[in-house]
C-alpha cells in the first residue's frame, strides 16, 4: 500500500495580511497530481485542516475541491482534526463522507476504532487520533490521570495498541502534537504545551508501522517510522528555509518498506534581506528577489522615514520591514526623561531628543553646525524683541 502523509493545510490563514487561498489551491492541485502519478492508495491529513474554528465559506470550497481532486486521482483520504480546527465542524457529516472514501476522525471516543483499508497483502488499520485537549477529554476517561498532552497521548496510544493487538495486521496512526526532539517555529505553531510538560516522548508512538504527525510546519524525521510532514505553504518567514512537501510511505506485507520525500512547489519564494536601506533600494545583488515575499531588515543606525512605501517601489511583495541597526549605542543607564531633566541648555535637550529617536545616534557634525546657527538666530531675535 502506498500512503501520502500531509498535514497542516491551515486553509484560510493569511500571510502578513495577504490571502493565501489561491496559492494553496494551486499547491494542493499539484499534490493531487502526485497522488495520481505515484499511484497513492491513501492520503492521510494529520490535523489543522483549517486555520480557524470558524472558517469562511471560501475555505470549505477549497477543501471540497482538494478532497475531490484526491479522490479523482484514485486515493482514499483519512483526516483528523488539529488544535486550530473545530472538531464538530470538521466532523460534520463524517459518516456520509466515509461512503465517498473520505474518512474524517474528530471524536476522541472512536480513536481506537480504525479505518481499515485492504490491499493485496490484507488489511491496513488507520487510527485517526484528533487533537486531544486534556481538560476537554478528561471526563471521557475519568480513571486516568490526564493533565498534560504527554499523558493524554500516552493513554490514546495505549488504546490503539490494545485494539491493534486484537485485530493484528499492519497499521498507521495519525496524531497532532509536539513530539520530543522537535522545536516549534517561533510565532507560527500555536502553543499546546506548558514548559516541557506537554512534549510527548517518542516511545509513546511505539506500535504502528508508521506514525503521521501534524502540528510542526517543517518536515522532520524523528525515527524511520515517526515523522512530521509540515505545512504545504510557507506561512511565516521563520519557515523560509524549510522545504514544502509530503512523505510518500510504502507498506509491504511485513510493514514499513520505505519512505520518500515528495517536494511541492513554492508559489512565491520567501527571503529576508539585510542591508542599509540605500543598498536595499539600489544594489543590483537584490534584483533577483524583486518578485519574492520580502522581509526587509534595514541596518541604518537611525530609523528611516516611510520605509515600507519606499521598499515596495522595488519589492512589490515586501511583507514586513524591521529596523535592525548594525551598530547599537551602549546604554548610558539614563532614561530619556532623566536626560531631559538634567539638560541645562537647548543644545543638550536637542542632543537627548535625537539620541532617543535615532536609537543612540545623536546629531552629526553638520547638524550640530545648523542647530548652532538656528539657536544663535533665536537668541539674536529675542535680544532685539
Amino acid at each position: 500500500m502506498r500512503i501520502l502523509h500531509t498535514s497542516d493545510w491551515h486553509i484560510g490563514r493569511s500571510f502578513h495580511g495577504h490571502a493565501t487561498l489561491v496559492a494553496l489551491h494551486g499547491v494542493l492541485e499539484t499534490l493531487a497530481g502526485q497522488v495520481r502519478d505515484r499511484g497513492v492508495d491513501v492520503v492521510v491529513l494529520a490535523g489543522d485542516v483549517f486555520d480557524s474554528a470558524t472558517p469562511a465559506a471560501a475555505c470549505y470550497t477549497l477543501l471540497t475541491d482538494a478532497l475531490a481532486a484526491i479522490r479523482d486521482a484514485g486515493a482514499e483520504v483519512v483526516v483528523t482534526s488539529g488544535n486550530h480546527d473545530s472538531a464538530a465542524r470538521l466532523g460534520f457529516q463524517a459518516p456520509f463522507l466515509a461512503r465517498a472514501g473520505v474518512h474524517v476522525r474528530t471524536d476522541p471516543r472512536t480513536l481506537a476504532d480504525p479505518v481499515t483499508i485492504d490491499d493485496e497483502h490484507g488489511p491496513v488499520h488507520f487510527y485517526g487520533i484528533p487533537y486531544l485537549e486534556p481538560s476537554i477529554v478528561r471526563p471521557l476517561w475519568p480513571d486516568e490521570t490526564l493533565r498534560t498532552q504527554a499523558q493524554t497521548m500516552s493513554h490514546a496510544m495505549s488504546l490503539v495498541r490494545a485494539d491493534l493487538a486484537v485485530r493484528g495486521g499492519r497499521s498507521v496512526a495519525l496524531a497532532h502534537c509536539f513530539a520530543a526532539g522537535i522545536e516549534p517555529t517561533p510565532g507560527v505553531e500555536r502553543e499546546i504545551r506548558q514548559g516541557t510538560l506537554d512534549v510527548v516522548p517518542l516511545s509513546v508512538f511505539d506500535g504502528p508501522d508508521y506514525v503521521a504527525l501534524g502540528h510542526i510546519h517543517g518536515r522532520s524525521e524523528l525515527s524511520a517510522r515517526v515523522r512530521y510532514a509540515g505545512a504545504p505553504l510557507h506561512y511565516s518567514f521563520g519557515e523560509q528555509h524549510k522545504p514544502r512537501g509530503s512523505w510518500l510511505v510504502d507498506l509491504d506485507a511485513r510493514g514499513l518498506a520505505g519512505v520518500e520525500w515528495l517536494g511541492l512547489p513554492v508559489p512565491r519564494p520567501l527571503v529576508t534581506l539585510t542591508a542599509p536601506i540605500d543598498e536595499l533600494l539600489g544594489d543590483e545583488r537584490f534584483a533577483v528577489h524583486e518578485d519574492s515575499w520580502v522581509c526587509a531588515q534595514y541596518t541604518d543606525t537611525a530609523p528611516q522615514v516611510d520605509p515600507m512605501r519606499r521598499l515596495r517601489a522595488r519589492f512589490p511583495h515586501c511583507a514586513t520591514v524591521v529596523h535592525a541597526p548594525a551598530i547599537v549605542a551602549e546604554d548610558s543607564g539614563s532614561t530619556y526623561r532623566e536626560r531631559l531633566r538634567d539638560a541645562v541648555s537647548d543644545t543638550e535637550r536637542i542632543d537627548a531628543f535625537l539620541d532617543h529617536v535615532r536609537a543612540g545616534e545623536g546629531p552629526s557634525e553638520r547638524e550640530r553646525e545648523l542647530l548652532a546657527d538656528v539657536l544663535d538666530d533665536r537668541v539674536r531675535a529675542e535680544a532685539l524683541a
Side-chain angles (χ1 to χ4, degrees):
M1 181 174 289
R2 177 158 281 184
I3 301 160
L4 191 72
H5 166 199
T6 181
S7 70
D8 296 275
W9 288 4
H10 285 280
I11 302 172
R13 187 165 189 152
S14 63
F15 178 78
H16 292 274
H18 301 272
T20 62
L21 286 179
V22 172
L24 182 58
H25 187 276
V27 169
L28 294 180
E29 280 187 335
T30 300
L31 185 146
Q34 292 174 337
V35 169
R36 179 182 298 105
D37 296 341
R38 300 303 294 267
V40 173
D41 301 297
V42 182
V43 173
V44 295
L45 173 50
D48 280 356
V49 178
F50 294 114
D51 189 60
S52 166
T54 55
C59 299
Y60 288 101
T61 301
L62 190 153
L63 178 60
T64 300
D65 291 345
L67 295 177
I70 291 170
R71 290 294 292 124
D72 289 344
E76 294 194 49
V77 186
V78 181
V79 184
T80 58
S81 52
N83 59 300
H84 279 251
D85 298 309
S86 162
R89 288 186 175 88
L90 186 62
F92 177 63
Q93 292 192 339
F96 297 96
L97 289 172
R99 297 186 180 212
V102 177
H103 309 276
V104 183
R105 293 305 176 98
T106 62
D107 188 345
R109 294 169 296 183
T110 62
L111 61 83
D113 180 15
V115 175
T116 299
I117 301 173
D118 293 318
D119 66 3
E120 66 272 23
H121 302 299
V124 177
H125 307 298
F126 292 84
Y127 292 92
I129 303 174
Y131 169 66
L132 302 174
E133 175 60 45
S135 61
I136 295 176
V137 301
R138 195 177 300 135
L140 301 180
W141 301 295
D143 296 331
E144 301 294 327
T145 300
L146 304 178
R147 295 191 180 91
T148 68
Q149 278 281 307
Q151 292 170 336
T152 306
M153 188 60 66
S154 180
H155 177 63
M157 284 301 302
S158 71
L159 297 176
V160 168
R161 283 189 291 269
D163 183 81
L164 185 57
V166 175
R167 294 178 189 272
R170 297 159 296 162
S171 61
V172 174
L174 294 72
H176 196 87
C177 63
F178 277 118
I182 286 296
E183 286 298 323
T185 306
V188 177
E189 292 100 4
R190 184 178 296 167
E191 193 69 37
I192 57 173
R193 62 177 178 176
Q194 297 175 352
T196 59
L197 294 178
D198 280 359
V199 175
V200 180
L202 188 58
S203 60
V204 165
F205 300 108
D206 288 348
D209 295 287
Y210 184 79
V211 178
L213 295 179
H215 187 58
I216 299 300
H217 285 199
R219 75 175 182 188
S220 184
E221 178 183 349
L222 303 186
S223 75
R225 43 175 289 282
V226 182
R227 301 173 187 245
Y228 285 97
L233 274 186
H234 289 112
Y235 290 113
S236 162
F237 282 102
E239 304 172 21
Q240 62 185 315
H241 301 302
K242 298 178 180 180
R244 305 289 89 173
S246 51
W247 292 111
L248 186 66
V249 180
D250 284 318
L251 300 183
D252 61 16
R254 294 176 296 177
L256 185 64
V259 184
E260 176 187 351
W261 177 254
L262 285 187
L264 285 169
V266 177
R268 190 181 304 283
L270 282 69
V271 64
T272 298
L273 304 179
T274 304
I277 196 163
D278 287 342
E279 290 186 25
L280 292 173
L281 293 172
D283 198 307
E284 279 303 307
R285 75 180 189 275
F286 298 128
V288 68
H289 302 300
E290 288 177 355
D291 196 44
S292 301
W293 287 117
V294 170
C295 170
Q297 297 183 341
Y298 69 92
T299 59
D300 304 71
T301 303
Q304 299 296 298
V305 176
D306 204 2
M308 178 65 85
R309 179 189 60 79
R310 295 163 64 190
L311 286 162
R312 280 186 174 171
R314 183 178 192 185
F315 306 104
H317 305 287
C318 183
T320 183
V321 177
V322 179
H323 181 213
I327 300 175
V328 179
E330 293 185 7
D331 188 357
S332 65
S334 299
T335 66
Y336 177 51
R337 182 191 297 271
E338 289 170 340
R339 291 190 64 184
L340 285 181
R341 182 194 62 202
D342 296 338
V344 295
S345 68
D346 288 339
T347 300
E348 290 181 356
R349 294 185 185 94
I350 294 171
D351 282 355
F353 171 75
L354 291 177
D355 184 76
H356 176 66
V357 299
R358 291 178 172 178
E361 181 184 22
S364 66
E365 288 303 316
R366 178 56 180 158
E367 288 171 334
R368 288 184 186 279
E369 293 174 2
L370 292 172
L371 288 168
D373 290 342
V374 170
L375 292 173
D376 287 344
D377 288 344
R378 193 190 74 174
V379 170
R380 285 193 294 269
E382 290 176 349
L384 296 172

